[in-house]
Amino acid sequence: MPYQVLTLNEAQNVTLTCYLYEKSPEYPNLDKRPAVLVLPGGGYAMCSDREAEPVALGFAAEGFHAFVLRYTLKSVKPWPAPLEDYENAMEYILAHAEEWGIDKERIAVAGFSAGGHLAACAACIAEHKPRAAIIAYGALTEKTVALCGKDIPLPVDIVDENTCPCFVFGTRTDNVAPIRNTLAFTGKLDECGISFESHVYSYGPHGFGTGTPAYNQPPITRRAARWLKDSAEWLGEVWGERTFEGYSEPKFGRRTTGDLDAYLSLSCTYPHLLKQKGAAEAVLQPVFARIDAVLKPRLTEGVLNVICTWTMHDLLPLLGYSEKELSDLDERLKVIKNAR
Amino acid sequence: MPYQVLTLNEAQNVTLTCYLYEKSPEYPNLDKRPAVLVLPGGGYAMCSDREAEPVALGFAAEGFHAFVLRYTLKSVKPWPAPLEDYENAMEYILAHAEEWGIDKERIAVAGFSAGGHLAACAACIAEHKPRAAIIAYGALTEKTVALCGKDIPLPVDIVDENTCPCFVFGTRTDNVAPIRNTLAFTGKLDECGISFESHVYSYGPHGFGTGTPAYNQPPITRRAARWLKDSAEWLGEVWGERTFEGYSEPKFGRRTTGDLDAYLSLSCTYPHLLKQKGAAEAVLQPVFARIDAVLKPRLTEGVLNVICTWTMHDLLPLLGYSEKELSDLDERLKVIKNAR
Amino acid sequence: MPYQVLTLNEAQNVTLTCYLYEKSPEYPNLDKRPAVLVLPGGGYAMCSDREAEPVALGFAAEGFHAFVLRYTLKSVKPWPAPLEDYENAMEYILAHAEEWGIDKERIAVAGFSAGGHLAACAACIAEHKPRAAIIAYGALTEKTVALCGKDIPLPVDIVDENTCPCFVFGTRTDNVAPIRNTLAFTGKLDECGISFESHVYSYGPHGFGTGTPAYNQPPITRRAARWLKDSAEWLGEVWGERTFEGYSEPKFGRRTTGDLDAYLSLSCTYPHLLKQKGAAEAVLQPVFARIDAVLKPRLTEGVLNVICTWTMHDLLPLLGYSEKELSDLDERLKVIKNAR
Amino acid sequence: MPYQVLTLNEAQNVTLTCYLYEKSPEYPNLDKRPAVLVLPGGGYAMCSDREAEPVALGFAAEGFHAFVLRYTLKSVKPWPAPLEDYENAMEYILAHAEEWGIDKERIAVAGFSAGGHLAACAACIAEHKPRAAIIAYGALTEKTVALCGKDIPLPVDIVDENTCPCFVFGTRTDNVAPIRNTLAFTGKLDECGISFESHVYSYGPHGFGTGTPAYNQPPITRRAARWLKDSAEWLGEVWGERTFEGYSEPKFGRRTTGDLDAYLSLSCTYPHLLKQKGAAEAVLQPVFARIDAVLKPRLTEGVLNVICTWTMHDLLPLLGYSEKELSDLDERLKVIKNAR
């Protein structure tokens, strides 16, 4: 583990602590590992130790390279200094990806409280976006973000269709970053069609970090301590799981449907495709006809209302399309620009 | 296990299947067990077997008496027939609580899809309310509820401060009851100050029931199969856990604060108490003075903004109040009516 | 759940309690389920309730049909009465397998303390052997078996190469059935080449049943409560796991090697095959020659000592045999009788 | 994490890699953490990377300081060189315990295969004994130890009443260090009254390290990957668990009874105390009389046979002794030398 503390900005006391796995001929296919960049919390007034090393080591134990970014505090320089620190850290990591054995396409952030605000901003508007974001009891809505500083972005307002997949959690009884932060943010992810997972645990204090008893004075539900292992498992779903031979297939894409992609595909929903003109119409006409002729007469209005919101991937198997027909159709759609 | 299938309404084909533990002198303190009433889904057009017996046996294994209610289908009689069936089932259970060894204060519902709609209605507006509700990929918002029938209540519109604690979950990729059902409902629970826990799992089909591979054809995240054990553990937090000697203390109340209770207490928030007049003022005056004199000068505006939303239970220890002083104060408040 | 209590022998007060899943068109491939027959403990002087219904419901929740046999007590009639009861119960279950949806090849026993003695006897010497046995803090060695009665078989003495796979566990601090019972029995399973899994948990009382806090007064390690889920998972390894489409492949056979099978195969170990004469020699001669020529010169004595105990399945891939060559070789061996 | 690689013996290429937690004012009671010294395997011919850093980081994630000792290989210098390296490593760690924040009374070893042999030797005969040993698929009996070298101690022969508590595990199908290694060693621990926990997992290859899929090519049961978290939890039972306020009480002692302690106590068994003469007799006479008068007439021979092997702590509460009487009696015994 070539551990090191790098100074990214001496004047602003910005450091990047690196917890890197040694490469080994014993596991050649793991030479490029995924990585997690940890962003501790503390209202941008401090960087909490409890949300730094213990978290990094938690992800290290799950097989990730881990980093902790101690960013510029607001007493030193206001926003967007922390986001600039994030960009610098990502640039540094990407520049050393080969040397350190990091898979550039599999770098996530994990941010806590104010660090969760920073993680959400990185997920939504950074130049070097992470490929997934883990957001713990984040400051994501107006009143809580106001505690972190003035004139800084509201995460709930900047989520869009290009936001990366997110794993978002908090406790119901958090009295510093009330759970509506998490609820409002997941609502926006859903509206924008971004893949996510979220957990609201029944009770526990703000700032519980890894959730292990050793670091937590007040009572907290046992389930809260599961987020780290769960989020690591979720990263395996987003990116494919590491196996001895390499990565398995991802379990889902960044978005749930293709309605916002650049080109059409069977991942688009039926109502979205109905609105397409030109080349798309020609390809899809026989499909629509078959839906009208075969499916609509057979189904009740209620069921039709449901399945008519589905992607073609979900819908067409009901019509008896074969695997081959489906993949042919998909090929033909994938060269047609999506008129959003 | 005195298993039996009771016919509650022969004309409407309503049955209550009972999975009851035998009493035993070997565990005398378990003679009164908590119970879960399972409400299967199926769009009110059927009652799914996969959401019936396997779920009931899952809760039985966790030490609960379990029931499955097969309610009136919409082809037989429209809403509110299923809610009436629920009331009848609860009346029957409560009437036999002594005989069957059921703790009347610890009966929960667990509903799936349309049954989740029914569970949510029970949690919000039933005469015989459950003491907790588990709601699985429920039909809770307008478009999805419309699939279940016409002129039936919208759960998101009927949540209020008297709703029972809820454990709510679904998968992000549900294309029958989209996850916004769950998100909107938890948002309402939060607004009304109701205790809850919620989980949005990354991927999996609608109607996954217990989530075990044996019952589920399409891919589904491993984490989804944890809801049953998790919700049973959560019931232990809501009601106290069963131990050999009896129940432990609950971990939290139905609501997070006392702002909506009939009488005042230290569970009320600071801003709520600030608005109280008369007797309350006299009791609280010295407390407020101490907050002004001791706390306000010492804390930054940001921190003040946070802690000034807290309950007095969270806030006063910062001022050095002793346990004794706190309980005296609580006693004096508890005889004063809450002016909501 | 067609629950019923069957009287197998009225004079001796022997009953078989059946916890049976309903069949359902919703899970057609589960119409034949595996089953577990629970044998409670109590020194053959009683049948403990804590080791009966809660255990049966635990296995039911894992998808098994479950049975509890309340066998003849020693005050009524001595050994082998309980084993005769077991045989009768198995005959009854097998006779109703079709009707109840039970897979005849996938019936296990799960016995506790004296019931563990009975389970071990069933596993070793019963006419209707179970296909797997779960043995909890069993009475398996001389002194502890003596507490259960006189002139009854010692499980450690009757294990042989035909014993079924076993899952054996207990706590280190058991002062009724000391852990040497479990250790000695697993030692015998190992000597006889029988597949097994075993767990000795750090601390906990005798008779902890499911290990859940509700039933257990004295302190006990959390890990002890995992045996039920673990043993259910293990049964899935022994028999194949139930999936929506049917059973997956078993993970291992009843025995670790084929040295005791009726016919030869690549599952036999190298030293065992070296001793075979006749037809086997002809088939194996070129293989042995290749081992001598290729493998032996390349490996150190220490490594040779290890791999020369291996099965041919483990050993031959080191020589570069292809899948095809291996399966051909296996075919030719499988018609040759094993000279044990 | 002041990570460093220390060279303990340059000529023999012995290194100690240190994975140390930073101290933090945020968790003052964790300034002294427990530690685990990892001993990789490789037949004393190499030190496997898969049993080094991934294991160390696994324990780090559980809150332990971790170390990896890369000891002298047999090609460089034969046994007892590795044990000498161990002693040097422990001396170094103990000398820096204050500086590094290590609790001297809570240092464990975790050894794999040949490293498991070394861990067992450390547990039994080292000068600087660990306070607990975790032994993974260890070389512990004659044939397997022979693979590691000549003239080296057989762990099964050196276990005695001063061996430290052990957590021992392996897989049933290990064809390099057959499971009888683990079975024989746990049998000896039991004979010598040493506290232990053991797990034999159903199937998996030798050398599976952390058991995570990323490092393991061949099939292996899921349960095998639980050993690390389980052994960390077990260390919390042996030493007391770390909480925010400090350590909780241990759950059990090094030995199960006090029969081998220097002084008598109620932890001694009844038959052991019966054999004591002199001062002990005077103290115990009335106790024995009460057992004879009250207990013996009331109990059947079978039950008597059991409880007459118990410690007085287990036995006397049956006679109605109060807490106070028990602690008085314990006090009086604790000044009397044990005649072993």
Side-chain angles (χ1 to χ4, degrees):
Chain A
M1 171 166 271
Y3 168 89
Q4 50 188 313
V5 185
L6 301 166
T7 300
L8 295 188
N9 182 325
E10 196 164 356
Q12 293 170 209
N13 199 21
V14 177
T15 60
L16 183 68
T17 312
C18 309
Y19 302 80
L20 300 167
Y21 265 89
E22 298 269 10
K23 296 177 185 179
S24 166
E26 291 184 42
Y27 25 90
N29 295 307
L30 294 173
D31 262 10
K32 275 186 194 297
R33 287 169 185 267
V36 175
L37 172 58
V38 177
L39 306 169
Y44 288 128
M46 60 169 289
C47 280
S48 167
D49 289 341
R50 289 185 305 116
E51 293 160 352
E53 189 156 286
V55 175
L57 290 171
F59 281 106
E62 299 294 324
F64 295 82
H65 293 300
F67 299 90
V68 173
L69 175 65
R70 295 181 187 268
Y71 43 75
T72 306
L73 302 184
K74 62 183 171 188
S75 55
V76 175
K77 197 175 166 192
W79 185 271
L83 187 59
E84 289 162 1
D85 299 335
Y86 163 81
E87 300 281 14
N88 292 338
M90 280 296 268
E91 271 176 38
Y92 201 102
I93 291 168
L94 290 167
H96 292 75
E98 198 64 36
E99 174 192 341
W100 290 344
I102 290 174
D103 184 332
K104 290 182 186 187
E105 308 297 318
R106 291 184 172 94
I107 304 178
V109 287
F112 299 77
S113 194
H117 173 265
L118 181 52
C121 290
C124 296
I125 57 170
E127 190 185 340
H128 302 94
K129 269 192 196 163
R131 296 306 169 100
I134 297 160
I135 301 173
Y137 41 86
L140 304 168
T141 52
E142 198 168 2
K143 287 188 190 169
T144 312
V145 170
L147 300 176
C148 298
K150 284 171 190 168
D151 302 320
I152 62 180
L154 272 190
V156 286
D157 288 350
I158 56 175
V159 175
D160 66 17
E161 68 269 23
N162 296 312
T163 297
C164 70
C166 295
F167 184 100
V168 196
F169 66 93
T171 53
R172 164 73 184 98
T173 57
D174 190 324
N175 59 13
V176 174
I179 199 61
R180 81 185 61 101
N181 283 275
T182 289
L183 296 178
F185 190 75
T186 51
K188 285 293 172 124
L189 292 170
D190 182 46
E191 280 174 32
C192 296
I194 300 304
S195 288
F196 72 90
E197 171 147 330
S198 76
H199 300 278
V200 178
Y201 304 110
S202 56
Y203 70 103
H206 185 74
F208 62 87
T210 55
T212 49
Y215 300 114
N216 282 282
Q217 196 158 23
I220 180 167
T221 177
R222 264 177 283 178
R223 294 182 296 290
R226 288 201 314 220
W227 74 264
L228 196 149
K229 224 170 164 52
D230 283 359
S231 68
E233 193 175 286
W234 173 81
L235 289 174
E237 293 172 355
V238 176
W239 294 337
E241 271 186 278
R242 290 178 310 123
T243 71
F244 194 76
E245 286 84 15
Y247 285 94
S248 67
E249 278 296 297
K251 297 294 188 182
F252 47 80
R254 185 157 59 101
R255 301 189 197 110
T256 315
T257 77
D259 289 359
L260 296 166
D261 290 345
Y263 289 85
L264 298 179
S265 73
L266 290 183
S267 297
C268 294
T269 62
Y270 176 49
H272 183 77
L273 290 178
L274 275 175
K275 289 179 290 184
Q276 301 289 317
K277 304 286 177 201
E281 274 180 299
V283 173
L284 291 163
Q285 191 48 49
V287 180
F288 295 158
R290 200 151 147 193
I291 291 174
D292 290 342
V294 179
L295 217 54
K296 291 193 172 170
R298 285 210 324 237
L299 299 172
T300 65
E301 191 192 354
V303 173
L304 270 176
N305 283 343
V306 173
I307 67 173
C308 284
T309 65
W310 286 7
T311 70
M312 302 304 268
H313 260 314
D314 290 337
L315 185 58
L316 296 192
L318 302 182
L319 282 162
Y321 278 87
S322 70
E323 288 282 323
K324 175 80 176 66
E325 288 171 303
L326 290 175
S327 81
D328 287 351
L329 200 52
D330 207 31
E331 290 303 306
R332 294 174 62 197
L333 286 171
K334 279 181 167 166
V335 297
I336 303 172
K337 279 215 169 160
N338 183 1
R340 285 184 277 181
Chain B
M1 170 167 271
Y3 168 88
Q4 50 188 313
V5 185
L6 302 167
T7 299
L8 294 187
N9 183 326
E10 196 164 356
Q12 294 170 211
N13 200 20
V14 177
T15 60
L16 182 68
T17 312
C18 310
Y19 302 80
L20 299 167
Y21 266 89
E22 298 269 10
K23 297 178 185 180
S24 167
E26 290 183 42
Y27 26 89
N29 295 307
L30 294 173
D31 261 11
K32 275 185 196 297
R33 288 170 185 266
V36 175
L37 172 59
V38 178
L39 306 169
Y44 287 128
M46 60 169 289
C47 280
S48 168
D49 289 340
R50 290 185 304 115
E51 294 161 351
E53 190 157 286
V55 175
L57 290 172
F59 282 107
E62 299 295 325
F64 295 82
H65 292 302
F67 298 90
V68 173
L69 175 65
R70 294 179 187 269
Y71 43 75
T72 305
L73 302 184
K74 62 185 171 187
S75 55
V76 175
K77 198 178 166 190
W79 185 270
L83 187 59
E84 288 162 2
D85 299 335
Y86 163 82
E87 301 279 15
N88 291 337
M90 281 296 268
E91 271 176 39
Y92 201 102
I93 293 169
L94 291 167
H96 292 75
E98 197 65 35
E99 175 193 339
W100 289 344
I102 290 174
D103 184 331
K104 290 182 185 186
E105 309 297 318
R106 292 184 172 93
I107 304 177
V109 287
F112 300 76
S113 195
H117 173 266
L118 181 52
C121 291
C124 296
I125 57 170
E127 190 185 341
H128 303 95
K129 270 193 195 163
R131 297 305 169 101
I134 297 161
I135 301 172
Y137 41 88
L140 304 167
T141 52
E142 199 169 359
K143 286 186 190 170
T144 312
V145 170
L147 300 175
C148 299
K150 284 171 188 168
D151 301 322
I152 61 179
L154 272 190
V156 286
D157 288 351
I158 56 175
V159 175
D160 66 17
E161 68 268 24
N162 295 311
T163 296
C164 70
C166 294
F167 185 100
V168 195
F169 66 93
T171 54
R172 164 75 183 98
T173 58
D174 189 326
N175 59 12
V176 175
I179 200 61
R180 80 185 63 102
N181 283 274
T182 289
L183 296 179
F185 190 76
T186 51
K188 285 292 172 128
L189 292 171
D190 183 44
E191 280 174 32
C192 296
I194 301 303
S195 288
F196 73 89
E197 171 147 330
S198 77
H199 300 278
V200 178
Y201 304 110
S202 57
Y203 71 103
H206 185 75
F208 62 87
T210 56
T212 49
Y215 300 113
N216 282 283
Q217 194 159 23
I220 181 167
T221 177
R222 262 177 286 178
R223 294 183 294 290
R226 287 201 314 219
W227 74 264
L228 197 149
K229 225 172 165 50
D230 283 0
S231 68
E233 192 174 285
W234 173 80
L235 288 175
E237 294 172 355
V238 176
W239 294 337
E241 271 185 277
R242 289 177 312 124
T243 72
F244 195 75
E245 286 85 14
Y247 285 94
S248 66
E249 278 297 297
K251 298 293 189 183
F252 46 80
R254 185 157 59 99
R255 303 189 195 109
T256 315
T257 77
D259 288 0
L260 295 166
D261 290 345
Y263 289 83
L264 299 179
S265 74
L266 290 183
S267 297
C268 293
T269 62
Y270 176 48
H272 183 77
L273 290 178
L274 275 175
K275 289 178 290 183
Q276 302 288 316
K277 304 287 175 200
E281 276 182 298
V283 173
L284 291 163
Q285 191 47 50
V287 179
F288 294 159
R290 201 151 147 192
I291 291 174
D292 289 342
V294 177
L295 218 54
K296 291 194 173 169
R298 285 209 324 237
L299 299 173
T300 66
E301 191 191 356
V303 173
L304 270 177
N305 283 344
V306 172
I307 67 174
C308 284
T309 65
W310 287 8
T311 69
M312 301 304 267
H313 261 314
D314 289 338
L315 185 57
L316 296 192
L318 302 182
L319 283 163
Y321 278 87
S322 70
E323 287 284 323
K324 175 80 174 67
E325 286 171 303
L326 290 175
S327 83
D328 286 351
L329 200 51
D330 207 33
E331 290 301 306
R332 293 174 63 197
L333 287 171
K334 279 180 167 167
V335 297
I336 304 172
K337 279 214 168 159
N338 183 1
R340 286 185 275 182
Chain C
M1 171 166 271
Y3 167 88
Q4 50 189 313
V5 185
L6 301 166
T7 299
L8 295 188
N9 183 327
E10 196 164 356
Q12 292 169 213
N13 199 22
V14 177
T15 61
L16 182 68
T17 312
C18 309
Y19 302 80
L20 299 167
Y21 265 89
E22 297 270 10
K23 296 178 186 179
S24 166
E26 291 184 41
Y27 25 90
N29 295 307
L30 294 173
D31 262 12
K32 276 185 194 298
R33 289 170 184 265
V36 175
L37 172 58
V38 178
L39 307 168
Y44 287 127
M46 60 169 290
C47 281
S48 168
D49 290 341
R50 290 185 305 116
E51 293 161 352
E53 190 157 284
V55 174
L57 290 171
F59 281 107
E62 300 294 325
F64 295 82
H65 292 300
F67 299 89
V68 172
L69 175 64
R70 295 180 187 268
Y71 43 76
T72 306
L73 302 184
K74 62 184 169 188
S75 55
V76 175
K77 197 177 165 190
W79 186 270
L83 187 59
E84 288 162 2
D85 299 335
Y86 162 82
E87 300 280 14
N88 291 338
M90 281 296 268
E91 270 176 40
Y92 201 102
I93 293 169
L94 290 167
H96 293 74
E98 197 64 36
E99 174 193 341
W100 290 343
I102 290 175
D103 185 331
K104 290 182 185 184
E105 308 297 317
R106 292 183 172 95
I107 305 176
V109 287
F112 300 77
S113 195
H117 172 266
L118 180 51
C121 290
C124 296
I125 56 171
E127 191 184 341
H128 303 95
K129 269 193 195 163
R131 296 306 169 102
I134 298 162
I135 301 172
Y137 41 86
L140 304 167
T141 52
E142 197 168 1
K143 286 187 190 170
T144 311
V145 170
L147 301 175
C148 298
K150 282 172 192 168
D151 302 320
I152 63 181
L154 271 190
V156 287
D157 288 352
I158 56 176
V159 175
D160 66 17
E161 67 269 23
N162 295 311
T163 296
C164 70
C166 294
F167 185 100
V168 195
F169 66 93
T171 53
R172 165 74 183 98
T173 57
D174 189 325
N175 60 13
V176 174
I179 199 60
R180 81 184 62 103
N181 282 274
T182 288
L183 297 178
F185 190 76
T186 52
K188 284 294 171 127
L189 291 170
D190 182 45
E191 279 173 33
C192 295
I194 301 303
S195 287
F196 72 89
E197 171 148 330
S198 76
H199 300 278
V200 178
Y201 304 109
S202 56
Y203 71 103
H206 185 75
F208 61 88
T210 56
T212 49
Y215 300 114
N216 282 283
Q217 194 159 23
I220 179 167
T221 178
R222 264 178 283 178
R223 294 183 293 290
R226 287 200 314 219
W227 74 264
L228 196 149
K229 226 172 163 48
D230 284 0
S231 68
E233 193 175 285
W234 173 81
L235 289 174
E237 294 172 353
V238 176
W239 294 337
E241 271 186 277
R242 289 178 311 124
T243 72
F244 195 75
E245 287 84 15
Y247 284 94
S248 66
E249 279 296 297
K251 298 294 188 182
F252 46 81
R254 184 157 59 100
R255 303 190 195 108
T256 315
T257 77
D259 289 359
L260 295 167
D261 290 344
Y263 289 84
L264 298 180
S265 74
L266 290 183
S267 298
C268 294
T269 63
Y270 176 49
H272 183 76
L273 290 177
L274 275 175
K275 289 179 289 184
Q276 301 289 316
K277 303 288 176 199
E281 274 181 299
V283 173
L284 290 164
Q285 191 47 49
V287 179
F288 295 158
R290 199 150 148 194
I291 291 173
D292 289 342
V294 178
L295 217 54
K296 290 194 173 170
R298 285 210 322 239
L299 299 173
T300 65
E301 191 191 356
V303 173
L304 271 177
N305 282 344
V306 173
I307 67 173
C308 285
T309 65
W310 287 7
T311 70
M312 300 304 268
H313 261 314
D314 290 337
L315 185 58
L316 295 192
L318 302 181
L319 282 163
Y321 278 87
S322 70
E323 287 282 323
K324 175 81 175 65
E325 287 171 303
L326 290 175
S327 83
D328 286 352
L329 200 52
D330 207 31
E331 290 302 307
R332 293 174 64 198
L333 287 171
K334 278 180 168 167
V335 297
I336 303 172
K337 279 215 169 158
N338 182 1
R340 287 185 275 181
Chain D
M1 171 167 273
Y3 168 87
Q4 50 188 314
V5 185
L6 301 167
T7 299
L8 295 187
N9 182 326
E10 197 165 356
Q12 293 170 212
N13 198 21
V14 178
T15 60
L16 182 68
T17 312
C18 309
Y19 302 81
L20 299 167
Y21 265 88
E22 297 269 11
K23 296 178 186 180
S24 166
E26 290 184 42
Y27 25 88
N29 295 306
L30 295 173
D31 262 11
K32 275 185 194 298
R33 287 171 186 266
V36 175
L37 172 58
V38 178
L39 306 169
Y44 288 126
M46 60 169 288
C47 280
S48 167
D49 289 341
R50 290 185 304 114
E51 293 160 351
E53 189 155 286
V55 175
L57 290 172
F59 282 107
E62 300 294 324
F64 295 82
H65 292 300
F67 298 89
V68 172
L69 176 65
R70 293 178 189 270
Y71 43 75
T72 307
L73 303 183
K74 62 183 170 187
S75 55
V76 176
K77 197 175 167 192
W79 184 272
L83 188 58
E84 289 162 1
D85 300 335
Y86 163 82
E87 301 280 15
N88 291 337
M90 280 296 268
E91 271 176 37
Y92 200 102
I93 292 168
L94 290 167
H96 292 75
E98 196 66 34
E99 174 192 341
W100 290 344
I102 290 173
D103 184 332
K104 291 183 185 185
E105 308 297 318
R106 292 183 173 92
I107 304 176
V109 287
F112 299 77
S113 194
H117 173 265
L118 181 51
C121 290
C124 295
I125 56 170
E127 190 185 340
H128 303 94
K129 269 192 195 163
R131 296 306 168 103
I134 297 160
I135 301 172
Y137 41 87
L140 304 167
T141 51
E142 197 168 0
K143 287 188 189 169
T144 312
V145 170
L147 300 175
C148 299
K150 283 171 190 168
D151 302 320
I152 62 181
L154 272 190
V156 287
D157 287 352
I158 57 176
V159 175
D160 66 16
E161 68 269 23
N162 296 312
T163 297
C164 70
C166 294
F167 184 100
V168 195
F169 66 94
T171 54
R172 166 72 184 97
T173 58
D174 189 325
N175 60 14
V176 175
I179 199 60
R180 79 187 62 104
N181 283 273
T182 289
L183 296 178
F185 190 75
T186 51
K188 284 294 173 125
L189 291 170
D190 182 47
E191 279 173 31
C192 295
I194 301 303
S195 287
F196 72 90
E197 172 148 327
S198 77
H199 300 278
V200 178
Y201 304 111
S202 56
Y203 70 103
H206 185 76
F208 61 88
T210 56
T212 50
Y215 300 114
N216 282 282
Q217 196 159 25
I220 179 167
T221 178
R222 264 177 282 177
R223 294 183 294 290
R226 286 201 315 220
W227 74 264
L228 196 148
K229 223 172 165 49
D230 283 0
S231 68
E233 193 174 285
W234 174 80
L235 288 174
E237 294 172 355
V238 176
W239 294 337
E241 271 186 278
R242 290 178 310 124
T243 72
F244 194 76
E245 286 84 14
Y247 285 94
S248 67
E249 279 295 298
K251 297 293 188 183
F252 47 81
R254 184 157 59 101
R255 303 191 195 109
T256 315
T257 76
D259 289 358
L260 295 166
D261 291 343
Y263 288 84
L264 298 179
S265 74
L266 290 183
S267 298
C268 294
T269 62
Y270 175 50
H272 183 77
L273 290 178
L274 276 174
K275 289 180 289 185
Q276 301 288 317
K277 304 287 177 200
E281 274 181 299
V283 173
L284 291 163
Q285 192 49 48
V287 179
F288 295 159
R290 201 151 146 193
I291 291 173
D292 289 343
V294 178
L295 217 54
K296 291 194 173 169
R298 285 208 324 237
L299 299 172
T300 65
E301 193 192 353
V303 174
L304 269 177
N305 283 343
V306 173
I307 67 174
C308 284
T309 65
W310 287 7
T311 70
M312 301 304 267
H313 261 314
D314 289 337
L315 186 58
L316 296 192
L318 302 182
L319 282 162
Y321 277 87
S322 70
E323 288 282 324
K324 175 80 176 65
E325 287 170 304
L326 289 175
S327 82
D328 286 352
L329 199 53
D330 207 32
E331 289 302 306
R332 292 174 64 197
L333 286 171
K334 278 179 167 167
V335 297
I336 303 172
K337 281 214 168 157
N338 182 2
R340 286 186 273 181

